[in-house]
Amino acid sequence: MGAKNLKSWSFSSSSSSSTASSSSIPCSYPPLLHPDHSATTPSLKRKKCLQLLSFVAGSAVLILCIVALVSYGSNSASRTGLDGNGESGTRRGDSRGPAEGVSEKSSAAMPRSSPSYPWTNSMLLWQRTAFHFQPQKNWMNGQPCPTYYKGWYHLFYQYNPDSAVWGNITWGHAVSRDLVHWLYLPLAVVPDRWYDANGVWTGSATTLPDGRLVMIYTGATMESVQVQNLAFPADPDDPLLVHWVKSEYNPVIVPPSGIGLKDFRDPTTAWYVPTDSAWRVAIGSKNDSQHHAGVVLVYRTTDFVSYELLPGVLHSVTGTGMWECVDFYPVSTESAVGLDTSAASGPGVKHVLKASMDDNKHDYYAIGTYAAASNSWVPADPEKDVGIGLRYDYGKYYASKTFYDPVKERRVLWGWIGETDSERTDLRKGWASLQTVPRTVLFDQKTGRNLLQWPVEEVESLRLSSQEFSNISITAGSVVPLDIGKATQLDIVAEFSVDEAALAGAIGADVGYNCSTSRGAAQRGVIGPFGLLVLADEDLSEQTAVYFYVARATDGSLSTHFCHDELRHARIFLFLSSEANDLAKTVYGSLVPVHDGETLSVRILVDHSIVESFAQGGRTCITSRVYPTKAIFSRARLFLLNNATGVDVTATSVKIWQMNSAFIRPFYERDSASSIRTSNN
């Protein structure tokens, strides 16, 4: 299929851009991988680098083979076995990713002495979500290439087609008309070449001005060296992008001098720099010789085949370690619209630099100023730099990725949500991990310091029946049940007010409070915690608390914390997010900015085993994985909570919608000619 399909990539000067912002970008690069195009071949320096890599890798393979032969017999029994249910599994907490040169990919590390909870099939069946994207079965982690192409949203995700644990990483593929109702397609890219034999890892999609699509992805070679590779649609006229071709020039980028062979991954979407007449791509790495600094390298290209490493680094932060899944994009500081990745910096435009921290498995971002001429990015607030400041999400959330949606002129964010149960349980239920609902990303013009994240508007198409409660008084130390019927698929929007007189008298209250180091909703303060209990059973033996906690300094200033609590509680509460003992349970949270005159507000999406919350319009977001044993199916309940000691709280408005399923399923031929229906069939 090579020659025929490659010719369809011939450059056409009459082709038009899908967006106004990219139509001004000159198409000065040669026709991408046209069979008649004599693209610049790898340089002598690169060839020598590859030869050296091959020599080192060959020696490593020989040593590894000897070690493997010696240790196989003694270790094989501990690697695999049968669990109590007669199913193949691995020991809980086994490390999977680091040995292959990528971040930890096992589920939550549980003590090996912890007994496995006796999950029933009904409990495990209930955990599968209704409107969050997840594959039909097996393991999924980060989404390498979300994009939009010829009428369809595409989600390419890292996937193990063989098991519910990490390994054999391949690109799964799904499409949607609306970012909500997804259709599974066949595997897109598989590890079938020497340069990606150990995994087709994270990458990014770039749409060229004439509409062509370029994918650059990290491949783990046969020797686990991380290299960057190029792929493109076999048939660019196919809106579903079912078939893909890998470039004959792969790998197009290899680790440069001074960079570890396993510390060079996850290329970003390319952006065009008109003054340079070239595209640029960023890649994450680290520099242990510079105090364990996380770094971003930038490459220049005119044809996506040959690349030049630019001098210096885009940005670096000491002590933060390996930066993976780097994302770099512009945001408007003056309007509520998203910007194309190639939008130039200048008045009214800032750039977001985000990185996933391999050391602590959190996604950090900062907002700053980009200077293409000097290949540099400077944070607006150095004290809130990447890796030490703001996070996308303060819960279970990692390896996120944005893309620009040209149809609705918005930037859309995806995040990978792993499991916090044991791998033994994942193997039994047959799947692991899911995605957040897609979120829009905007600059917060009120604070001028952070981003706003909010579920894409299409999520509201899943809303069914609703109930509304107003001005409910919640006295200190109490819970109030809300009679809403089913409580496992919900969209909740709530607002709270605290008595002004009580606030005024709470000088010096809880100034040292911190969500993560607290005892959760059991730690009673003068002005908190208060909020909601979701996925609770009737007698409150299980629950997940989503709450605010307000502290007042001696100077009268207020600080508001927003938290999720999955721990055992005390005093008047004896709560658990789950009674199961083979789970990781914690308290998540952070401060949330609240301006004068604003009410305390939160939106909560409950979808079986995932809870996503957005405080103050999305200034602070938290995601939890919860696995109730009692609060499932019709036994799940919803409560209002006020465990403060000194104030009564009023729930001024609570709106609750039952949520429909997104009916995620395989693609059928009839789907190509019709939009996806959002009604319940």
Side-chain angles (χ1 to χ4, degrees):
M1 63 181 177
K4 179 179 178 181
N5 288 321
L6 284 170
K7 286 183 178 179
S8 65
W9 282 68
S10 298
F11 175 75
S12 171
S13 60
S14 62
S15 61
S16 60
S17 169
S18 60
T19 66
S21 60
S22 61
S23 62
S24 61
I25 300 174
C27 302
S28 58
Y29 47 86
L32 181 67
L33 297 185
H34 190 284
D36 297 327
H37 166 51
S38 56
T40 304
T41 56
S43 65
L44 178 61
K45 182 177 180 180
R46 178 181 158 188
K47 288 182 178 178
K48 288 182 177 180
C49 182
L50 287 172
Q51 290 171 355
L52 178 60
L53 287 175
S54 299
F55 173 76
V56 173
S59 301
V61 169
L62 179 60
I63 294 172
L64 288 173
C65 288
I66 295 173
V67 173
L69 287 172
V70 172
S71 63
Y72 177 77
S74 61
N75 291 338
S76 60
S78 66
R79 286 194 299 266
T80 61
L82 295 177
D83 63 19
N85 297 290
E87 295 176 294
S88 176
T90 60
R91 298 178 302 179
R92 292 187 304 277
D94 280 353
S95 177
R96 297 193 171 276
E100 301 297 333
V102 72
S103 64
E104 176 62 70
K105 298 300 183 186
S106 64
S107 298
M110 303 302 300
R112 297 191 190 280
S113 59
S114 297
S116 178
Y117 185 81
W119 296 97
T120 66
N121 289 337
S122 178
M123 293 174 186
L124 297 179
L125 177 65
W126 178 88
Q127 292 177 12
R128 191 167 178 88
T129 61
F131 56 87
H132 283 74
F133 179 82
Q134 58 186 123
Q136 290 176 291
K137 60 180 181 179
N138 296 332
W139 169 274
M140 174 186 67
N141 55 283
Q143 57 294 318
C145 287
T147 192
Y148 179 85
Y149 190 77
K150 295 184 182 296
W152 291 92
Y153 295 102
H154 291 258
L155 184 61
F156 300 90
Y157 53 92
Q158 294 183 66
Y159 178 62
N160 183 354
D162 300 326
S163 177
V165 296
W166 184 86
N168 187 30
I169 296 302
T170 300
W171 277 14
H173 186 194
V175 292
S176 172
R177 297 282 195 188
D178 61 4
L179 289 172
V180 173
H181 301 84
W182 291 92
L183 304 171
Y184 303 119
L185 287 173
L187 299 178
V189 185
V190 300
D192 59 359
R193 299 290 190 272
W194 69 267
Y195 50 76
D196 60 15
N198 275 320
V200 178
W201 292 354
T202 298
S204 295
T206 300
T207 302
L208 303 183
D210 60 359
R212 292 181 293 172
L213 197 63
V214 181
M215 295 284 198
I216 309 173
Y217 70 91
T218 297
T221 71
M222 295 175 65
E223 298 80 23
S224 294
V225 177
Q226 294 171 11
V227 297
Q228 315 312 317
N229 305 300
L230 176 65
F232 50 92
D235 180 6
D237 292 327
D238 175 17
L240 298 178
L241 300 173
V242 174
H243 301 292
W244 289 82
V245 173
K246 297 177 183 180
S247 170
E248 62 183 292
Y249 300 108
N250 285 342
V252 294
I253 312 177
V254 298
S257 175
I259 294 297
L261 302 184
K262 294 184 178 181
D263 304 322
F264 184 64
R265 56 185 177 269
D266 310 337
T268 65
T269 296
W271 67 96
Y272 190 79
V273 179
T275 56
D276 192 28
S277 299
W279 295 82
R280 295 188 182 181
V281 175
I283 300 174
S285 187
K286 67 175 180 177
N287 187 345
D288 284 333
S289 67
Q290 295 293 323
H291 308 288
H292 196 50
V295 301
V296 179
L297 307 175
V298 177
Y299 284 81
R300 174 185 183 274
T301 184
T302 58
D303 59 5
F304 290 89
V305 175
S306 299
Y307 293 79
E308 172 192 358
L309 176 61
L310 296 182
V313 296
L314 180 69
H315 194 57
S316 175
V317 180
T318 59
T320 56
M322 176 68 198
W323 287 9
E324 54 182 2
C325 302
V326 170
D327 205 1
F328 187 61
Y329 58 89
V331 289
S332 172
T333 61
E334 299 175 346
S335 62
V337 297
L339 299 178
D340 181 89
T341 308
S342 292
S345 58
V349 176
K350 294 290 185 181
H351 273 75
V352 175
L353 178 60
K354 167 264 167 182
S356 300
M357 300 293 119
D358 193 17
D359 283 2
N360 63 21
K361 307 302 177 292
H362 297 313
D363 279 19
Y364 289 83
Y365 77 89
I367 302 169
T369 302
Y370 172 55
S374 59
N375 182 38
S376 65
W377 174 90
V378 179
D381 183 355
E383 293 186 358
K384 293 184 178 180
D385 209 339
V386 182
I388 60 175
L390 298 171
R391 286 164 51 182
Y392 273 163
D393 191 295
Y394 290 86
K396 183 66 175 178
Y397 184 98
Y398 196 61
S400 58
K401 178 69 177 177
T402 68
F403 77 100
Y404 176 67
D405 177 4
V407 177
K408 294 196 173 183
E409 295 185 312
R410 59 185 174 179
R411 183 154 293 272
V412 178
L413 170 68
W414 287 94
W416 167 47
I417 312 302
E419 303 294 324
T420 57
D421 61 357
S422 67
E423 284 191 350
R424 183 188 298 270
T425 302
D426 294 342
L427 286 163
R428 184 177 174 193
K429 68 187 180 186
W431 58 271
S433 304
L434 45 86
Q435 300 290 324
T436 61
V437 296
R439 306 172 180 178
T440 57
V441 178
L442 292 171
F443 180 78
D444 188 346
Q445 296 181 51
K446 281 190 176 181
T447 66
R449 300 188 301 270
N450 55 268
L451 298 175
L452 297 173
Q453 301 172 54
W454 200 250
V456 294
E457 61 184 358
E458 291 89 338
V459 171
E460 297 175 16
S461 69
L462 297 174
R463 289 174 172 175
L464 298 173
S465 60
S466 65
Q467 290 178 260
E468 185 170 354
F469 303 86
S470 300
N471 298 318
I472 300 177
S473 179
I474 319 167
T475 58
S478 68
V479 294
V480 176
L482 296 178
D483 186 10
I484 62 168
K486 295 179 181 180
T488 59
Q489 293 173 210
L490 301 176
D491 187 351
I492 306 167
V493 178
E495 294 183 353
F496 299 90
S497 65
V498 181
D499 181 73
E500 290 292 335
L503 282 176
I507 300 296
D510 303 300
V511 291
Y513 185 81
N514 180 292
C515 295
S516 299
T517 58
S518 73
R519 291 184 293 111
Q523 183 168 327
R524 305 186 69 184
V526 178
I527 324 173
F530 58 89
L532 297 102
L533 303 178
V534 301
L535 295 176
D537 65 338
E538 189 69 42
D539 60 5
L540 297 176
S541 64
E542 290 182 338
Q543 64 82 39
T544 296
V546 179
Y547 63 91
F548 293 98
Y549 198 112
V550 181
R552 188 177 185 93
T554 54
D555 64 0
S557 62
L558 294 173
S559 59
T560 303
H561 303 260
F562 179 61
C563 319
H564 275 202
D565 179 18
E566 305 167 0
L567 297 177
R568 176 181 293 275
H569 299 164
R571 199 169 174 121
I572 66 168
F573 302 108
L574 185 58
F575 292 167
L576 295 163
S577 64
S578 171
E579 290 195 346
N581 55 359
D582 55 351
L583 306 173
K585 305 171 187 175
T586 188
V587 181
Y588 296 124
S590 181
L591 289 167
V592 56
V594 181
H595 280 236
D596 291 341
E598 290 184 344
T599 59
L600 294 177
S601 63
V602 61
R603 181 177 180 183
I604 307 172
L605 295 177
V606 179
D607 188 7
H608 296 258
S609 61
I610 184 172
V611 179
E612 292 187 70
S613 298
F614 309 83
Q616 300 306 111
R619 288 181 188 143
T620 299
C621 306
I622 307 176
T623 301
S624 287
R625 295 301 308 279
V626 294
Y627 309 89
T629 62
K630 296 181 178 179
I632 59 177
F633 297 109
S634 61
R635 298 188 297 279
R637 297 288 185 268
L638 178 68
F639 295 84
L640 293 171
L641 158 76
N642 179 12
N643 202 23
T645 61
V647 300
D648 293 342
V649 174
T650 300
T652 55
S653 174
V654 183
K655 299 178 182 178
I656 305 163
W657 290 266
Q658 298 288 338
M659 294 292 278
N660 202 353
S661 169
F663 303 106
I664 300 171
R665 57 173 175 79
F667 183 91
Y668 301 127
E669 283 301 319
R670 67 175 183 269
D671 296 315
S672 60
S674 63
S675 297
I676 309 304
R677 296 180 176 86
T678 59
S679 61
N680 185 359
N681 294 328

